[in-house]
Amino acid sequence: MDHLSRDLASAIETARKVFLIFGSPSVYQEQDPEEREKFAVLEIWVEGDVPENFQRYKSYLREWSRIADNKVGSLITLIYNII
């Protein structure tokens, strides 16, 4: 995941702009069982209700798709958990 560190920093920064994040984001690696391709998972804990965070997630996706190229965008996935 070292080659993605700059892009992960951008993904975290984008998430911080959009969500009300509680605590620190975590990043871990997973592998697609069918494709065998590895990707990074950015997991955050957020405050707010479901509709509000769904709208924030859509905003995140719009912004992330604007700043990340297609290859990087598919190698970093965001998961948000509502507290």
Side-chain angles (χ1 to χ4, degrees), residues 17 21 26 30-33 42 57-58 77:
K17 288 179 184 176
I21 297 177
S26 64
E30 289 197 358
Q31 184 173 6
D32 184 317
L42 167 59
Y57 180 66
K58 290 190 327 186
T77 299

Side-chain angles (χ1 to χ4, degrees), residues 20-69:
L20 299 173
I21 297 177
F22 179 81
S24 297
S26 64
V27 176
Y28 53 92
Q29 187 174 16
E30 289 197 358
Q31 184 173 6
D32 184 317
E34 294 175 7
E35 302 293 325
R36 299 280 190 221
E37 187 167 325
K38 293 180 181 178
F39 58 95
V41 177
L42 167 59
E43 186 170 16
I44 58 174
W45 295 87
V46 299
E47 297 179 7
D49 61 20
V50 172
E52 175 183 24
N53 279 297
F54 183 66
Q55 289 302 315
R56 289 179 177 171
Y57 180 66
K58 290 190 327 186
S59 294
Y60 170 86
L61 291 177
R62 276 192 300 275
E63 180 65 14
W64 182 238
S65 67
R66 188 184 68 74
I67 63 174
D69 65 39

